Amino acid sequence: MHNFMNKEILNWGAFYQVKVAQSKDERLKSFYQTGMYHDETKLSDIDFVALDFETTGLDSQQNSIISIGLVPFNLKRIFCRQAQHWYIDPEDKLQENSIIIHGITHTDLKGAPDLLRILEPVLEALAGKVVVVHYRRIERDFFDSNLRSLINEGIVFPVVDTMQIEADVQDAQAKGFFNLFKRKRQDSIRLANSRSRYHLPVYPPHDALTDAIATAELLQAQIHYHFSPDTPIKRLWL
């Protein structure tokens, strides 16, 4: 078991209590009231939910969420029957280059709800669970920024970032005795490349629900190879 992921730990349970008192929006207040795990909780006792966004661009201040996929899971099972997927009418215009990346077209978004209309079921699916993403700057930053522009109030929650875990794994391996001499280059930590190192199947990229399931499978594999079911959640969340 590797000794990476050492970092300053935020007391998320106490933070959520503060957010309950501060939140003006009832949906956000309810989300925080559900509470969060103690940081010593074992990974085997955690209910996770993998979350993936497709967006109109990469700037959370200028661009919008256009698709959300999520699936609940634990270390042993991925609950695909409870998976959910939404298309969202973006606040900004859908750029042609983003259509090329994720394949979502103007037709797909015709009649789609805005983020506020689906906010309640999204928050209900995430409440009380540890959110798992691959590259937290998308899901955490976009959710916070898009909500600020819509209701003048953002959202903060702990995440386990499978991309960060993979970066830390690569960094730990690169510092190994033999690799110091070989000057081992870091392998790609993109979702598909990371999955391939654990012999996970190849899925079509850039679909929010498929990527959420792919992220859930990746975390299960990372924990199996590098951690333990008894590892406390504080070692992984950010």
Side-chain angles (χ1 to χ4, degrees), residues 18-30 32 115-116 119 123 142-156:
V18 172
K19 295 300 288 184
V20 169
Q22 291 179 343
S23 295
K24 297 177 179 67
D25 188 276
E26 287 303 318
R27 292 163 293 195
L28 290 177
K29 190 182 288 285
S30 177
Y32 291 120
L115 180 58
L116 281 188
L119 181 58
L123 290 179
F142 268 84
F143 207 178
D144 181 64
S145 180
N146 282 202
L147 281 185
R148 286 183 188 279
S149 67
L150 288 167
I151 62 174
N152 205 30
E153 188 175 350
I155 186 170
V156 185

Side-chain angles (χ1 to χ4, degrees), residues 71-213:
V71 60
F73 71 103
N74 56 35
L75 292 195
K76 294 182 177 179
R77 287 189 60 193
I78 296 173
F79 301 99
C80 290
R81 286 188 179 182
Q82 298 173 36
Q84 298 184 72
H85 180 245
W86 299 269
Y87 285 123
I88 297 168
D89 185 25
E91 291 182 82
D92 64 322
K93 288 196 170 103
L94 185 59
Q95 302 296 319
E96 293 303 319
N97 60 349
S98 68
I99 293 175
I100 294 169
I101 293 171
H102 49 53
I104 297 172
T105 66
H106 297 280
T107 304
D108 293 322
L109 300 180
K110 191 173 180 180
D114 64 20
L115 180 58
L116 281 188
R117 273 181 53 201
I118 65 157
L119 181 58
E120 210 160 334
V122 172
L123 290 179
E124 284 177 2
L126 302 182
K129 295 184 174 68
V130 175
V131 175
V132 180
V133 300
H134 193 79
Y135 188 48
R136 62 189 178 278
R137 297 303 300 271
I138 296 295
E139 284 74 22
R140 194 144 70 176
D141 289 8
F142 268 84
F143 207 178
D144 181 64
S145 180
N146 282 202
L147 281 185
R148 286 183 188 279
S149 67
L150 288 167
I151 62 174
N152 205 30
E153 188 175 350
I155 186 170
V156 185
F157 48 87
V159 297
V160 173
D161 186 346
T162 52
M163 178 181 272
Q164 184 66 57
I165 291 173
E166 204 60 21
D168 291 342
V169 168
Q170 296 272 322
D171 189 50
Q173 290 173 344
K175 288 176 180 172
F177 181 75
F178 292 108
N179 288 325
L180 286 175
F181 293 98
K182 291 192 292 184
R183 295 181 180 273
K184 184 179 185 298
R185 289 181 59 195
Q186 195 175 69
D187 295 326
S188 170
I189 54 174
R190 293 171 70 97
L191 181 57
N193 300 94
S194 298
R195 285 174 56 83
S196 70
R197 283 189 287 277
Y198 300 93
H199 310 292
L200 294 169
V202 176
Y203 294 154
H206 305 301
D207 172 85
L209 183 53
T210 304
D211 283 352
I213 293 170

Side-chain angles (χ1 to χ4, degrees), residues 12-80:
W12 283 105
F15 178 80
Y16 269 38
Q17 291 175 359
V18 172
K19 295 300 288 184
V20 169
Q22 291 179 343
S23 295
K24 297 177 179 67
D25 188 276
E26 287 303 318
R27 292 163 293 195
L28 290 177
K29 190 182 288 285
S30 177
F31 170 78
Y32 291 120
Q33 278 176 333
T34 305
M36 184 44 61
Y37 290 99
H38 188 277
D39 59 12
E40 293 288 347
T41 306
K42 296 176 182 179
L43 297 180
S44 57
D45 294 331
I46 300 279
D47 285 328
F48 296 100
V49 57
L51 178 69
D52 187 81
F53 292 167
E54 298 298 329
T55 61
T56 56
L58 296 176
D59 185 348
S60 63
Q61 301 299 315
Q62 303 290 330
N63 301 127
S64 302
I65 302 165
I66 53 172
S67 178
I68 296 177
L70 60 84
V71 60
F73 71 103
N74 56 35
L75 292 195
K76 294 182 177 179
R77 287 189 60 193
I78 296 173
F79 301 99
C80 290

